[in-house]
Amino acid sequence: MPRLTRYFIKTALLYLALALVLGLLLAARAAFDLPAEFAAFSPVFFHVLMVGWAAQLIFGMLFWMLPKYSKEQPRGNEPLAWSAYILINVGLVLRIIGEPMNTVQAEWNLGWLLVVSAVLQLIGGWAFILTAWSRVKER
Amino acid sequence: MTRLSVWTVRTALLYLGLGFLLGALMLLQKGLPLDPGLLRLLPLHVEFVLLGWTLQLAMGIAFWILPRFSQEPRYGSLRLGWSAYLLLNVGVLCAGTGQWLGISPAVFLLGRLAELLACLCFVLHAWPRVKPTGG
Ligand code: HEM
């Protein structure tokens, strides 16, 4: 299993655990009448689960399993794939911090965290698509 | 990888790219309000990332990797596979744009119907291929 795949999958597993903790918090809010601010974690919960866990697990598996790009470069453009890993994760962490804070403490003006997060995740996602695209082919 | 898988996986990657773009636009709007209309992209984003990307990718990989038959047609019914691919994409586009633009509810309904039929075709294609390898 390539190193980048291990990074993708282990990071995905950490996000899975975090998503379940967030899911528990959201359920606890309803059950114990906790402050309404907890609901600000709802979009973060979805995206930790679907970007952090599901998409990232898929990226790791695709990087490993897709047909080889060439003999010399079996996994295609590896630096681009690594940059996808870094950009998506930095972007997602900024969202995890920025989105609830921006909702709960609007006066702190942390909106820029979300702007940076959006740009990083977008470039990261597109970088992964570029590396995967050329490996999706008939043999 | 069969041609059907190439098309399905590449289309899934396109939806991933579009879905991330729509998500990024909404997140941008949450951080730096530019145009509140951007948040109306939500149903299109959800349709693209959940069905266009995640479901479609799973289908594309399944067409490729499920056990094949030892005799032709080795990949089972490709007609069912292609029908699933076409119906899913008509469905995603109709259901997504129907909700986003708020056009006639019939478009949304038609989209959901196409998605349901796509899943039926996929199940009929995949069912006999879920078997021990060989044979
Ligand atoms: C595979 C990837 C993704 C999946 C499956 C996904 C799924 C979803 C879902 C289900 C919702 C609706 C949540 C709700 O109704 O509360 C949503 C909302 C949203 N998504 Fe995504 N998403 C993905 C990627 C992204 C990315 C990469 C971004 C940003 C760069 C993003 C930004 C947003 C935003 C801003 C919302 C609206 C949140 C709100 O209600 O305030 N999404 N997404």
Side-chain angles (χ1 to χ4, degrees):
Chain A
M1 191 186 264
R3 186 136 74 108
L4 178 57
T5 293
R6 299 199 305 269
Y7 271 71
F8 266 129
I9 296 182
K10 288 192 168 164
T11 314
L13 287 167
L14 293 177
Y15 279 119
L16 175 63
L18 175 64
L20 295 179
V21 171
L22 289 173
L24 193 72
L25 274 179
L26 287 169
R29 183 189 84 85
F32 299 115
D33 238 0
L34 296 176
E37 282 81 7
F38 274 71
F41 279 99
S42 174
V44 166
F45 162 65
F46 268 111
H47 291 85
V48 168
L49 192 67
M50 293 310 297
V51 180
W53 157 246
Q56 192 148 221
L57 179 77
I58 293 171
F59 290 172
M61 296 301 291
L62 288 180
F63 184 73
W64 179 24
M65 300 291 237
L66 281 177
K68 296 194 174 18
Y69 177 67
S70 67
K71 238 198 189 120
E72 303 72 39
Q73 254 188 305
R75 316 239 178 249
N77 188 338
E78 290 206 24
L80 194 61
W82 274 99
S83 48
Y85 170 78
I86 294 166
L87 290 167
I88 290 170
N89 282 292
V90 175
L92 188 56
V93 168
L94 290 181
R95 180 172 189 179
I96 295 170
I97 301 167
E99 199 171 24
M101 299 258 268
N102 194 48
T103 309
V104 178
Q105 298 282 356
E107 65 280 8
W108 288 3
N109 290 323
L110 289 174
W112 62 273
L113 278 179
L114 300 187
V115 175
V116 179
S117 163
V119 173
L120 295 185
Q121 289 186 78
L122 180 62
I123 301 176
W126 283 3
F128 187 83
I129 293 167
L130 277 180
T131 61
W133 191 267
S134 46
R135 291 179 59 192
V136 180
K137 55 182 183 180
E138 292 181 60
R139 274 198 269 216
Chain B
M1 202 179 249
T2 56
R3 180 161 304 176
L4 172 60
S5 287
V6 172
W7 278 75
T8 315
V9 172
R10 284 195 167 170
T11 312
L13 288 171
L14 285 179
Y15 276 118
L16 174 71
L18 285 175
F20 265 43
L21 174 65
L22 300 177
L25 286 173
M26 288 190 297
L27 198 59
L28 212 77
Q29 166 64 21
K30 285 183 88 172
L32 177 77
L34 295 170
D35 174 1
L38 285 175
L39 292 178
R40 285 212 315 272
L41 293 169
L42 182 63
L44 202 57
H45 168 68
V46 173
E47 202 70 23
F48 281 10
V49 284
L50 287 182
L51 289 135
W53 155 244
T54 313
L55 176 65
Q56 180 145 237
L57 182 89
M59 281 174 35
I61 298 291
F63 290 144
W64 172 36
I65 229 150
L66 284 176
R68 277 161 252 167
F69 301 101
S70 45
Q71 281 154 12
E72 291 295 336
R74 300 193 57 221
Y75 285 91
S77 168
L78 284 178
R79 184 174 299 178
L80 280 171
W82 280 107
S83 309
Y85 169 74
L86 290 175
L87 284 164
L88 180 67
N89 286 293
V90 169
V92 167
L93 288 176
C94 286
T97 49
Q99 289 178 91
W100 170 46
L101 298 173
I103 39 185
S104 152
V107 177
F108 178 35
L109 182 67
L110 211 71
R112 283 282 182 265
L113 181 66
E115 287 167 359
L116 173 67
L117 292 175
C119 289
L120 271 178
C121 290
F122 176 73
V123 169
L124 290 174
H125 166 92
W127 195 272
R129 286 185 62 189
V130 180
K131 64 175 187 64
T133 315

